[in-house]
Amino acid sequence: MFTGIVKELGLIESVNSENNILKVAISSLNSIKKLNIDDSVSVNGICLTVTKKIDQIFEAQIIEETISKTTAGFWKPLEKVNLETSLQLNDGLSGHLVQGHVDGIGEIVGRSENSDSSVVLRVRPNPDLLIYIVNKGSITLDGVSLTVSDVDDEYFEVSLIPHTLSATTLGFKDIGELINVEVDVIAKYVSNYMNNLN
């Protein structure tokens, strides 16, 4: 379990495919200190398991199920990624409850800068996810906990403060790029409950 509050930007050192499994090595200055083999870590919003740790680099394995539903299959060496270590029971919940179970991939279709240096991103998600996205509700993009600032039949928007732009990979994202989307887990449970009221 995570909160969507990115702790640091990591760097992809290598991506290798072996027996249909991606092995990704990621370097980290701070998060690595809290990680041990078998620990969970959020990488661009994807909950991965640490399978190896050497100095400032940890490795994770990514199977086809995850590759098909996330942007992990597009990762390249020297690419920066958002990192968050798992939530501890005595930690504060600064963002919202994030599972690291990506629901689908969205495409950034708009980016506009405001006079106060904030940025509005417009995202087109998988159409089946829109039922879970509400104005002023929570959403996770590449592991970052955000508030939906607008939503319609095809898109939703989030407004990013300057700190978020500098502390996460969202500051580098532009129109046409793909992004991991995790909707609010509470919305999914409510929807499932309502659909089964018969």
Side-chain angles (χ1 to χ4, degrees), residues 19 70 113 122 134 145 170 182 190 196:
N19 298 323
T70 71
E113 293 192 26
R122 183 170 236 216
V134 296
S145 173
L170 298 183
E182 180 183 335
V190 170
N196 286 289

Side-chain angles (χ1 to χ4, degrees), residues 46-65:
I46 307 168
C47 180
L48 299 177
T49 300
V50 177
T51 57
K52 187 183 293 185
K53 177 182 173 181
I54 302 174
D55 298 325
Q56 292 183 314
I57 296 176
F58 69 89
E59 187 175 282
Q61 298 175 345
I62 307 175
I63 61 174
E64 182 58 38
E65 168 70 11

Side-chain angles (χ1 to χ4, degrees), residues 89-109:
L89 288 177
N90 60 342
D91 290 342
L93 187 62
S94 297
H96 72 282
L97 292 176
V98 176
Q99 295 180 297
H101 303 163
V102 173
D103 294 300
I105 297 174
E107 179 186 2
I108 298 173
V109 295

Side-chain angles (χ1 to χ4, degrees), residues 32-40 50-51 53:
I32 193 74
K33 299 171 186 175
K34 297 182 179 180
L35 292 175
N36 295 299
I37 292 175
D38 294 330
D39 282 354
S40 294
V50 177
T51 57
K53 177 182 173 181

